[in-house]
Amino acid sequence: MFAKKIIPFALAASLAFVGTMAMAKQTFVTIGTGGITGVYYPTGGAIANIINGKKDQYGIRASVESTGGSKFNINAIDSKDLDFGIAQADTQYMAYNGKGPWEGKPVSKLRAVFALAPEAVTFVAAEDSGIKSVKDVGGKTINLGDPGSGNRINSMDIFKAVGITPGKDFRDEKLKPADAPRVLQDGRIDGFFYTVGHPNGNIKEATAGKRKVRIIPITEVGTLLKDAPYYSMVEIPMDQYPDATNAKDKVKTVGMLATLVTSADTPEDVVYAITKEVMTNLDQFKKLHPALAGLTKESMLQGLTAPIHPGALKYYKEAGLVK
Ligand code: GLU
């Protein structure tokens, strides 16, 4: 009688223990992205989609947050408010090495995971503003973007290279990218900067309105490319924006790669699982946004200037991608 009661109790207790073990294996991770009309947000969604599809195997539940962009994501990883974030290769380099906005305060725990789609510093200007080059912004109102964005850092670099001072030579706005196309259409700004992968909904929206707009080439960059090894010259695929007034031009500008970053404190098995699942399901991943179409396993190992997280490195070694 006594024993009969004991057995179910012991069983229930051990079941409860197993239950706790299973619950303990659930890992919740947050991925910081960018504005909802950019490429980071759907890219973060694509990463979450791949890893959440394997939650029975890994117990990882990833969720995506819309944020101000690269700078915000890196700082939020540093303060442990985010586990992962997407950040431009230039901001990854500057943050880890304590340069630019991180001068004197390097984010030494920042770790690289993999690279994503290339991005281009995209300067959209109203045709009626008369702007044809970055040198024509005198007296205008230009949105350099969210204080947490990478595009604000890039546009500052570019204006510095041509000797123009934002806030003095022209009025500088700090709008979110999702608001910029509408505010441009309303006539409240003359142009905006967005460092973003192509094609994307934001530039489509900006070019498709009643107010005609063009995409301005950025070629007068002084010594920028020499001083900053993470920048390169790229061409914007204008066939994606047939409504831009210069849709037939070849528009050259400064570009870099987007990258996935994390903290040295993120567990190795979590970073391993995400890296492995994205890389081994690359065809499925690439279909989740047109800007990801050109990704290859090899391109995903470019632009990583912070140390590669050991979890990612474990997969790269296993897959023979690094020695
Ligand atoms: N490159 C932009 C930034 O760091 C974000 C681009 C995007 O959201 O697609 O601010």
Side-chain angles (χ1 to χ4, degrees):
M1 186 73 182
F2 187 56
K4 257 190 190 163
K5 270 194 178 157
I6 285 286
I7 290 164
F9 175 76
L11 219 134
S14 66
L15 280 179
F17 180 64
V18 170
T20 332
M21 293 279 288
M23 270 170 60
K25 259 211 77 66
Q26 281 275 341
T27 310
F28 291 90
V29 297
T30 49
I31 308 171
T33 61
I36 51 169
T37 54
V39 173
Y40 286 10
Y41 187 67
T43 300
I47 296 170
N49 180 296
I50 298 259
I51 197 67
N52 291 343
K54 295 279 173 83
K55 74 170 181 303
D56 292 347
Q57 191 178 336
Y58 299 110
I60 299 173
R61 289 285 304 165
S63 63
V64 168
E65 277 181 31
S66 170
T67 72
S70 297
K71 185 178 164 193
F72 178 94
N73 295 341
I74 290 172
N75 290 339
I77 287 170
D78 195 30
S79 62
K80 299 191 187 301
D81 292 314
L82 286 174
D83 303 298
F84 290 87
I86 305 180
Q88 294 172 202
D90 54 321
T91 59
Q92 181 191 133
Y93 173 86
M94 287 189 277
Y96 183 74
N97 293 290
K99 293 184 190 295
W102 293 275
E103 186 75 53
K105 35 181 184 3
V107 182
S108 48
K109 282 197 169 176
L110 191 67
R111 293 293 177 270
V113 183
F114 47 68
L116 292 154
E119 297 185 83
V121 182
T122 309
F123 181 18
V124 180
E127 193 64 44
D128 60 33
S129 71
I131 298 172
K132 296 261 162 47
S133 110
V134 289
K135 292 190 172 158
D136 301 332
V137 294
K140 310 282 182 199
T141 303
I142 311 289
N143 181 44
L144 302 189
D146 191 289
S149 70
N151 33 279
R152 169 160 291 276
I153 302 171
N154 300 141
S155 50
M156 290 290 203
D157 277 355
I158 287 158
F159 284 118
K160 194 172 171 200
V162 294
I164 292 172
T165 311
K168 185 170 142 260
D169 296 326
F170 66 88
R171 198 199 314 246
D172 153 24
E173 291 289 347
K174 297 186 174 62
L175 303 169
K176 284 187 195 319
D179 296 330
R182 182 176 31 86
V183 176
L184 180 73
Q185 285 298 326
D186 287 353
R188 284 183 281 158
I189 55 174
D190 298 296
F192 69 88
F193 276 78
Y194 196 12
T195 303
V196 68
H198 293 279
N200 66 77
N202 188 286
I203 308 297
K204 279 202 180 147
E205 185 190 343
T207 51
K210 214 164 153 214
R211 193 181 187 197
K212 289 288 154 213
V213 306
R214 69 166 53 225
I215 301 178
I216 309 298
I218 304 176
T219 48
E220 308 98 322
V221 289
T223 58
L224 189 65
L225 267 69
K226 258 203 278 149
D227 300 345
Y230 38 78
Y231 282 138
S232 62
M233 290 309 290
V234 296
E235 203 176 290
I236 295 176
M238 293 297 288
D239 57 330
Q240 305 288 339
Y241 307 111
D243 297 321
T245 51
N246 61 333
K248 299 248 164 337
D249 291 0
K250 287 196 183 311
V251 177
K252 289 205 164 41
T253 185
V254 175
M256 77 292 292
L257 288 170
T259 65
L260 183 71
V261 290
T262 189
S263 163
D265 294 337
T266 307
E268 190 174 317
D269 57 339
V270 173
V271 182
Y272 172 81
I274 290 179
T275 307
K276 180 176 175 174
E277 290 306 325
V278 169
M279 289 250 185
T280 53
N281 296 292
L282 203 52
D283 288 337
Q284 180 195 341
F285 181 67
K286 280 158 52 170
K287 285 196 191 104
L288 296 172
H289 194 278
L292 302 173
L295 291 189
T296 63
K297 282 187 177 172
E298 290 70 28
S299 76
M300 291 173 81
L301 289 175
Q302 308 293 308
L304 309 178
T305 49
I308 297 178
H309 190 284
L313 204 56
K314 185 178 162 199
Y315 174 71
Y316 298 146
K317 285 187 176 158
E318 245 174 54
L321 293 164
V322 297
K323 292 223 173 75

